Amino acid sequence: MSKAAPKKAVAPPPPGCTLDINDPQVQNAAIRIQASYRGHRSRKELKEKGPPRVLQELKDVMLIEGSAARLECRISAFPDPFIRWSKDGQELKDGPKYRYIFEDPDIVALVVRDGGLADLGRYTIAVKNTFGECSDSARILVEVPAKIEKGPESTKVKKGSTVTLTAHISGEPAPDVGWAKDGEDIEEDDRVFYDIGSNSTTLTIKRVAASDAGKYEVFVENNLGTDESFARLDVL
């Protein structure tokens, strides 16, 4: 039978390294540590009840056609609030086009998918609980390449009459517009001139002459793109 190894003496802890579990400071520290590990729900229970507040405001967002935009803000609210998003006064339902986003602990966002010119406008978030409500708003600004949605139609006209050629256009920022005949820019006067509207442009030719026959081109351009279309004018 072997002999048991002698017990080693245990050195006392260095001065200042002992804890007295009955010390009020130690007990308070333990409570704080325990509370910090209870999770988000427990932390929310420590919040003071009251009306919601916006901690970080919404900011304007630039949206390029075909992409998505995200409006985001930070709010403080307890109890949990009811959130509603709207565009130009019309409520937006959570779904494929508009997605409500909630991120811990206090971030609320709206994602607008498959962006287009129709998404241009002012968006508002309304936050409400049993103690009150608050709101904030920002704009989605949309950039759309210049485009001719429908070009002018070729036509035949009698001499001495008036003819118009119209093209339907789009783009944001609003595109620059020009007309040309047989490759040469048209110089406007009181007989030949063109107008530019919000979504169309019209070339007018008064007192049509034989020399007005030819190939007419309309072109549009903004910082995102260019487009053009042609039509033929025959004079009888």
Side-chain angles (χ1 to χ4, degrees):
M1 178 180 291
S2 61
K3 295 182 179 180
K7 294 183 180 180
K8 295 182 179 180
V10 178
C17 294
T18 59
L19 290 177
D20 182 358
I21 61 173
N22 295 317
D23 188 331
Q25 292 184 345
V26 173
Q27 292 178 349
N28 289 337
I31 291 173
R32 289 196 298 270
I33 294 172
Q34 183 182 20
S36 69
Y37 281 93
R38 287 180 181 172
H40 178 61
R41 181 175 299 277
S42 296
R43 291 195 296 273
K44 288 179 63 176
E45 291 172 353
L46 300 177
K47 291 184 178 180
E48 293 184 3
K49 296 181 179 180
R53 295 180 297 117
V54 176
L55 303 179
Q56 180 177 307
E57 297 179 346
L58 295 171
K59 295 181 180 180
D60 290 349
V61 175
M62 183 64 71
L63 171 64
I64 297 178
E65 185 180 34
S67 65
R70 177 182 169 115
L71 291 166
E72 178 181 299
C73 67
R74 292 179 59 238
I75 62 172
S76 174
F78 186 71
D80 288 340
F82 173 76
I83 305 291
R84 183 174 69 90
W85 287 92
S86 61
K87 174 182 177 288
D88 298 330
Q90 298 296 316
E91 184 175 357
L92 303 174
K93 299 295 185 180
D94 186 22
K97 174 65 176 178
Y98 304 104
R99 190 67 178 168
Y100 285 29
I101 303 294
F102 303 93
E103 297 178 353
D104 285 341
D106 50 16
I107 294 176
V108 181
L110 176 73
V111 174
V112 180
R113 296 172 172 169
D114 192 23
L117 195 56
D119 296 312
L120 177 71
R122 179 166 291 279
Y123 291 74
T124 300
I125 182 174
V127 186
K128 182 178 182 179
N129 68 9
T130 54
F131 290 91
E133 59 185 296
C134 66
S135 64
D136 193 23
S137 62
R139 292 182 59 83
I140 286 185
L141 308 172
V142 181
E143 288 192 334
V144 180
K147 183 179 180 181
I148 297 176
E149 300 290 347
K150 183 180 180 182
E153 296 182 355
S154 297
T155 187
K156 297 178 181 180
V157 64
K158 294 182 180 180
K159 285 191 293 186
S161 61
T162 297
V163 66
T164 58
L165 299 174
T166 299
H168 297 278
I169 63 177
S170 63
E172 186 64 36
D176 295 327
V177 179
W179 286 84
K181 175 181 179 290
D182 297 329
E184 298 291 333
D185 289 345
I186 290 177
E187 296 184 6
E188 297 180 273
D189 54 30
D190 59 354
R191 191 182 75 86
V192 180
F193 55 90
Y194 57 89
D195 299 310
I196 303 172
S198 59
N199 56 11
S200 66
T201 177
T202 299
L203 173 70
T204 300
I205 305 174
K206 296 181 177 180
R207 303 184 299 277
V208 172
S211 59
D212 292 321
K215 180 181 180 181
Y216 287 81
E217 173 191 2
V218 57
F219 52 89
V220 293
E221 179 180 7
N222 65 12
N223 61 312
L224 295 176
T226 62
D227 200 7
E228 59 186 17
S229 184
F230 304 89
R232 177 77 191 180
L233 177 64
D234 293 314
V235 179
L236 305 176

